[in-house]
Amino acid sequence: MPSLPPCPACQSIYSYDDGNMFVCPECAHEWSKDADNNTSDEKIISDANGNALRDGDTVSVIKDLKVKGSSSVVKVGTKVKNIRLVEGDHDIDCKISGIGPMKLKSIFVKKV
């Protein structure tokens, strides 16, 4: 008898097979047989073109961005190296030369 994977939501060992889905009788969670259970917890952050971003990537700004509390502007085409992905509304933490540390939204950058 093949062993079935535990429920990714509650870790119950009593999951059962239902066609092309697995079902947990304890928490009623359903998941696909093809789904990779390890990546379900991670949020994928993508750039303006839909490319997945990772820590350490280099991105380019696609729109002039005003720096709040300053008269500085981050110009279109500015390359930002070694980004860090963080949780929240502004999901990129970086350091821009000439301006300093900043938080950016991923919708205003593209992967280089």
Side-chain angles (χ1 to χ4, degrees), residues 69-100:
S70 173
S71 61
S72 302
V73 175
V74 179
K75 296 286 188 180
V76 171
T78 302
K79 286 190 178 178
V80 181
K81 298 178 182 177
N82 199 19
I83 64 169
R84 284 187 316 268
L85 301 178
V86 295
E87 294 291 323
D89 187 33
H90 292 75
D91 42 15
I92 296 175
D93 198 12
C94 62
K95 188 178 280 188
I96 299 176
S97 60
I99 295 177

Side-chain angles (χ1 to χ4, degrees), residues 36-45 53-54 85 87:
D36 185 64
N37 294 334
N38 296 337
T39 60
S40 62
D41 295 341
E42 297 179 16
K43 179 182 174 190
I44 298 175
I45 298 174
L53 296 174
R54 298 172 65 191
L85 301 178
E87 294 291 323

Side-chain angles (χ1 to χ4, degrees), residues 16-71:
Y16 63 89
D17 185 7
D18 185 26
N20 62 349
M21 303 286 285
F22 290 120
V23 180
C24 176
E26 293 185 2
C27 70
H29 180 72
E30 296 181 2
W31 68 101
S32 173
K33 288 182 180 179
D34 300 331
D36 185 64
N37 294 334
N38 296 337
T39 60
S40 62
D41 295 341
E42 297 179 16
K43 179 182 174 190
I44 298 175
I45 298 174
S46 57
D47 67 358
N49 296 331
N51 300 320
L53 296 174
R54 298 172 65 191
D55 285 342
D57 281 346
T58 300
V59 295
S60 176
V61 178
I62 63 168
K63 175 183 174 180
D64 282 348
L65 301 173
K66 295 179 184 177
V67 179
K68 195 171 193 176
S70 173
S71 61

